[in-house]
Amino acid sequence: MSLIEINKNEVRKILKEILKEILEEEGLIGLIWKMERMQLECGGQSKDWIVDHICHHPYVVRHELASKDGKSWIFKAKRMDEFIDMYFPELHINHKNEQKRGVKNA
């Protein structure tokens, strides 16, 4: 006879919650990133930098990867991860300033 009784269903539930939390932290699951997560993904860049260089990037605008929800920005997590990987070399460009000057974006 065992001195400890284990509720397998409860253990499974707890493990699922822990696994989900780990996967979200690693960016492997989750639908939406808030600005704070986006800052982490961009190496600690400021909110203003992210708005100027990412939120106004023509690809992000065209594919609606970022959206302003009142005063806060939200991002499509999986697609934004792909965008950062694909467009990393040109993230130094301030697209907000280029739009003001009327520069055509690809």
Side-chain angles (χ1 to χ4, degrees):
M1 183 170 135
S2 175
L3 295 176
I4 299 174
E5 187 175 315
I6 298 175
N7 181 331
K8 290 181 182 179
N9 289 333
E10 189 63 28
V11 170
R12 183 180 300 268
K13 179 181 171 187
I14 292 169
L15 288 174
K16 281 183 177 181
E17 289 173 8
I18 292 170
L19 181 60
K20 181 181 177 192
E21 184 177 313
I22 291 169
L23 291 172
E24 285 176 346
E25 287 174 1
E26 294 296 319
L28 299 175
I29 62 169
L31 299 175
I32 301 293
W33 288 344
K34 293 183 179 180
M35 180 59 82
E36 292 77 18
R37 175 59 187 265
M38 194 64 186
Q39 287 180 276
L40 287 173
E41 296 296 328
C42 292
Q45 294 289 353
S46 72
K47 293 176 183 179
D48 289 337
W49 186 93
I50 291 171
V51 170
D52 294 350
H53 294 82
I54 293 180
C55 295
H56 293 285
H57 189 284
Y59 183 89
V60 172
V61 172
R62 186 171 46 253
H63 291 90
E64 300 177 342
L65 303 185
S67 175
K68 196 163 186 178
D69 181 28
K71 292 184 178 183
S72 303
W73 284 89
I74 55 174
F75 306 89
K76 292 182 180 179
K78 184 176 179 182
R79 299 280 311 274
M80 194 52 81
D81 185 49
E82 295 166 355
F83 162 80
I84 292 170
D85 187 48
M86 187 169 39
Y87 285 94
F88 183 78
E90 68 174 65
L91 290 183
H92 68 279
I93 300 170
N94 186 327
H95 291 282
K96 186 176 182 180
N97 284 345
E98 285 195 3
Q99 287 175 352
K100 286 179 184 177
R101 291 190 317 225
V103 175
K104 288 276 186 186
N105 294 310

